[in-house]
Amino acid sequence: ASLRTEFLGRQYENPFMNASGVHCLTIDELEELSNSKAGAFITKSSTEVEREGNPEPRYYSTPLGSINSMGLPNRGFKYYLDYVLDYQDKHPAANTPFFSVAGMSIDENLKLLRAIQDSAFDGVTELNLSCPNVPGKPQLAYDFEVTEELLSKVFSFFKKPLGVKLPPYFDFAHFDTAASILNKFPLAYVNCINSVGNGLYVDLETESVVIKPKNGFGGIGGEYVKPTALANVRGFYTRLNSSIKIIGTGGIRTGQDAFEHLLCGATMLQVGTELYEEGVSVFERLLHELEDIMNKKGYTSIDEFRGKLSSL
Ligand code: RRO
């Protein structure tokens, strides 16, 4: 079977990427992704000014996944823009890395996107509307009015391919409202899902929380979140215009998890918690596991089953 994937008119060897935030803070980490079997990769969400992020410990691995309250640590927008522009020059035949931005305000997001629009960047931009971990800053995409206002302003000038990273939704009324707003814009894709915000993990032995920021509250990833991720992939796949692609993120630990995301309608697949656990060798394992499943089922390409989840 072939894992070759077309996304936004570009060809990728396979659909696997890192989830933004994991293994993409520094140029060293980004270069490791570039040299891995990942089909594509994305930078850490950046802000105009570099940020240290929240106090440590701020990431904790649990038996079923992870909890994090990193607080948007990043080297600053220019560091990542310089990296991707340099990457384009050095690898003219390769796909440019995806570029994630997460401004701290509407105006900062607009400023960063204007800078991308005015640059030579020829890749795909991801606007993070769902960071759960900056104290005092709610997840933007839970406020539908502000989301629509922001996207209206963005698309008045932004002409390069743009996707949005969404938080998980948990009600059909919210899927309906979110999709009706997203369908008004020439979005390239939506990425479902960011971490499930503000979970709490308790350590029995110490009778304590496990991360320092926000009294232990943080975004949940890994096995815990796969059913929620699949529901969001499927919920948006069935509601969005077919021109808006889906990136599936959440609970991808095995080839089976990847297959399920594709069956629900995802085109690209992002790996967060399991990449943190295993390092970049996770991609080679996942692509072999996915290929094995496809071979056993008699599929020769992903297009033969993408989105084709059966109902009862
Ligand atoms: O840096 C973080 O705390 C973080 C971000 Br920006 C995000 O979008 N999702 C997440 O789980 N952590």
Side-chain angles (χ1 to χ4, degrees), residues 44-45 68-73 102 128 130-133 194-195 219:
K44 170 67 185 174
S45 293
N68 89 83
S69 184
M70 305 300 287
L72 201 35
N128 184 352
S130 46
C131 175
N133 299 331
N194 207 317
S195 54

Side-chain angles (χ1 to χ4, degrees), residues 11-41:
Q11 298 292 326
Y12 297 89
E13 274 183 36
N14 67 69
F16 293 105
M17 310 175 57
N18 65 307
S20 180
V22 181
H23 213 97
C24 58
L25 179 70
T26 65
I27 288 173
D28 280 358
E29 289 180 326
L30 289 160
E31 283 295 288
E32 280 188 31
L33 288 169
S34 177
N35 294 323
S36 77
K37 295 284 188 188
F41 63 105

Side-chain angles (χ1 to χ4, degrees), residues 295-307:
N295 288 338
K296 286 194 179 107
K297 287 174 170 284
Y299 291 122
T300 60
S301 79
I302 293 171
D303 292 342
E304 292 165 17
F305 62 92
R306 176 180 299 105

Side-chain angles (χ1 to χ4, degrees), residues 55 58 202 266:
R58 58 193 186 180
V202 173

